[in-house]
Amino acid sequence: MTMDEMKLIGYWSSPLALRIEWSLKLKGIDYEYVEETEPRKSPLIAKYNPIKKQIPVLVHDEKPIPESLIVLEHLDEISTDQNKLLPEDPYERARARFWAKFVTPVLVGSFSKQGEELEGAVKEAGEALRTLEQALGGKRFFGGDDVGFVDVAAGWFAYWVPIMEDILGLKIIDEKEAPALKKWFGEFLDLPCVKERLPAREKLVSHLRDLRKARMSG
Amino acid sequence: MTMDEMKLIGYWSSPLALRIEWSLKLKGIDYEYVEETEPRKSPLIAKYNPIKKQIPVLVHDEKPIPESLIVLEHLDEISTDQNKLLPEDPYERARARFWAKFVTPVLVGSFSKQGEELEGAVKEAGEALRTLEQALGGKRFFGGDDVGFVDVAAGWFAYWVPIMEDILGLKIIDEKEAPALKKWFGEFLDLPCVKERLPAREKLVSHLRDLRKARMSG
């Protein structure tokens, strides 16, 4: 769709990098994927994201754009009317941005906690997911009939929530409490562009287990 | 400029509400200001921002939009080409969004800390401000010759930083380290639309002192 040079610097287990990859694929934009082995220390990240020193970064014609939601906005601005992630109506755009911001910290809190603190964080994550259930309403996707900004922003929950439940040994959300969200989990994971860029489950589980152990002792 | 009904629900000491007021004034949009006496508990907030229960909220034709940066985007989308806050170039827009996100948590960290933790937080805030000094470069405003998205997002520093230094009894940034930023502090505070909507210094100092005391003991 574009002749510009697009390079995504990501890390295989990063849901924020996945947001960008899914968007690029949905929009049919060609890109080169660059895997960072040391996301926080690499010379590439020092060059392209010296302020935050984080992946993901989209490098568009050698111009670096960090922050996944800002990248999604950028991709929407440079793409044609087809496959826009944000809706057209200004109020609906504001709502989509609100939800995308809302979902970003969910799950993060529970990751390095244990005992009562963990239970509190899991309860909070569950509440956030029930709120999303309401936001989804009767729609197929948050974007309506098609995948939109909030779907791409929150899509990683579909894969990560059951995995986190396994790792933590706690239920984050009961299927009965969020039937629409669970249905959406299935629909989202079934999208070809999503399916082809998910990390292998076992590898991710073992990586997240190690990460959790390291954070709790650190 | 617009015949729509605009209502801003704010709180006098909220820099996030000020961001929105400054933007409305810069754009010449008429609005009604509604002061919340109990920002987190009021029926108005329960109605207009039930998810986050926070001010500020812009209510545009009875449709509520929370989150100050999202409101700024909204105001830009509904306004004519005059007085746009975001630049036109897609890459420059992404940069402006990056800096606006970057500045939001600065200062917050130092607010409820003391001792070594406070010193660490103040040092971090100082580093963030030195980074902003670089970002400002030789420009008058972050937006160039005119006030833009980042100016409105970060403008409260111009008033709050010296006040926070007084309250904490610590220097956050030395004038010599950030001459451009200090000059920008002065230029920004001198804008008519900014000047007319700043809280009285003494009232703010006393409010922030009380708040800090309450947070530290809480």
Side-chain angles (χ1 to χ4, degrees), chain A residues 12-80:
Chain A
W12 68 273
S13 69
S14 163
L16 304 184
L18 279 179
R19 284 175 168 176
I20 300 175
E21 287 213 76
W22 292 332
S23 305
L24 287 162
K25 285 181 184 293
L26 282 165
K27 289 169 177 295
I29 299 174
D30 291 332
Y31 66 98
E32 177 195 351
Y33 176 80
V34 180
E35 172 78 1
E36 255 318 326
T37 39
E38 286 286 341
R40 285 178 177 272
K41 294 180 210 157
S42 88
L44 213 56
I45 288 302
K47 177 181 173 192
Y48 286 128
N49 192 6
I51 311 291
K52 300 289 281 185
K53 297 184 182 66
Q54 287 168 343
I55 57 106
V57 180
L58 181 78
V59 186
H60 180 183
D61 282 341
E62 272 307 300
K63 289 177 188 156
I65 305 174
E67 304 286 346
S68 61
L69 293 182
I70 295 177
V71 172
L72 263 48
E73 296 259 3
H74 180 73
L75 292 176
D76 240 26
E77 290 186 349
I78 59 159
S79 54
T80 55

Side-chain angles (χ1 to χ4, degrees), chain B residues 137-172:
Chain B
K139 291 173 295 184
R140 186 177 170 205
F141 293 110
F142 286 93
D145 292 332
D146 294 309
V147 170
F149 199 71
V150 182
D151 297 282
V152 171
W156 64 290
F157 292 162
Y159 200 62
W160 260 254
V161 166
I163 287 176
M164 286 295 284
E165 289 180 332
D166 276 4
I167 291 175
L168 302 173
L170 288 169
K171 202 78 189 156
I172 296 172

